[in-house]
């Protein structure tokens, strides 16, 4: 840890200001409770960490996982640059594999750090900094498989992953516990659900998300099932976005309630969320207003990556 503090000191006046370095040197990581899936995968993650050579730095493990998420964004730009679900099936299988590797490495890097006695606050910052960028890459893959294009649904998906992530770091900043779950459902469940969605898209094609609920039931031989027209006319992809937003919305709300309950100056704490809302507003303005809108619709992936880098920077500052 002393060595890590020394390395931090070389950054004085750079990306991390002196006040941030002092906070970093005194930082003690405390995670929230494990989710249902965390408890069942924990032994597997320990086994994965034990397969890694002891000379491999935990930050290298983190970077391996994050690089796999970067591959998702690259494949989207190469095969589906407008995010309309045009990628070949094998791309979604690769995306599923990349998500699995990222999730496993993200869980194993901390175990590798403790196993090799190389845990440090700086390593934790690097880990969470990579996660903050990786959330946007995951969102790009989801937007591609759902065929959302550069429309409002894409902005909604981005908000669904970016807002809770930032608010969880904001909560930790005030209550000193980093939560990634609500009850028995957490980020791990969400990541594995993304893996399942990619595999389903590879098997059945991205067109399944464009069908209506009634059309999907008919294709499954269940056309006789009575469904109100108001429900039957809903598009499966749009319904999936709404359902997928439930947990992130609850997680985000719970962070606000937690900070309100455990801090003495809630108004001041809320001010620290202002950069997040400005970033989200910029994202909306780019999608809705000319001349940026036409460029965004034609090339959504580069725009989204830039927004992801901005969100990552803001999250790192609050970490």
């Amino acid at each position: 840890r002393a060595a890590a503090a020394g390395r931090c000191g070389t950054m004085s006046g750079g990306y991390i200001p002196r006040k941030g370095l002092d906070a970093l040197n005194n930082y003690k990581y405390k995670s929230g409770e494990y989710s249902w899936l965390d408890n069942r995968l924990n032994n597997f993650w320990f086994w994965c960490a034990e397969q890694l050579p002891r000379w491999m730095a935990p930050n290298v493990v983190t970077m391996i996982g994050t690089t796999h998420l970067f591959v998702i964004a690259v494949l989207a730009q190469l095969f589906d640059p407008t995010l309309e679900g045009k990628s070949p099936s094998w791309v979604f299988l690769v995306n599923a594999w990349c998500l699995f590797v990222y999730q496993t490495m993200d869980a194993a890097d901390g175990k590798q750090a403790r196993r090799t006695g190389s845990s440090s606050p700086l390593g934790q910052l690097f880990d969470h900094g990579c996660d903050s960028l990786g959330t946007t890459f995951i969102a790009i893959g989801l937007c591609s498989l759902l065929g959302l294009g550069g429309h409002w649904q894409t902005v909604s998906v981005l908000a669904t992953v970016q807002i809770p992530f930032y608010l969880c770091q904001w909560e930790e900043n005030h209550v000193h516990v980093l939560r990634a779950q609500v009850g028995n459902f957490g980020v791990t469940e969400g990541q594995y659900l993304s893996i399942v969605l990619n595999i389903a898209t590879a098997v059945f094609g991205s067109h399944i998300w464009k069908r209506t609920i009634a059309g999907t039931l008919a294709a499954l031989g269940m056309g006789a099932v009575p469904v109100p027209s108001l429900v039957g006319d809903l598009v499966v992809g749009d319904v999936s976005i709404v359902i997928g937003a439930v947990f992130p919305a609850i997680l985000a709300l719970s962070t606000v309630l937690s900070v309100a309950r455990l801090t003495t100056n809630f108004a001041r704490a809320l001010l620290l969320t202002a950069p997040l809302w400005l970033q989200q507003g910029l994202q909306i303005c780019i999608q809705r207003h000319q001349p940026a809108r036409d460029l965004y619709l034609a090339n959504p992936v580069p725009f989204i990556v830039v927004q992801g880098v901005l969100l990552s920077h803001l999250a790192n500052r609050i970490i």
Side-chain angles (χ1 to χ4, degrees), residues 301-312:
V301 175
F303 276 90
I304 294 172
V305 169
V306 170
Q307 285 294 314
V309 172
L310 175 57
L311 186 281
S312 178

Side-chain angles (χ1 to χ4, degrees), residues 284-298 303:
I284 293 171
C285 288
I286 290 174
Q287 194 276 329
R288 292 184 61 85
H289 298 291
Q290 299 291 3
R293 176 175 167 80
D294 286 342
L295 291 172
Y296 176 76
L297 292 176
F303 276 90

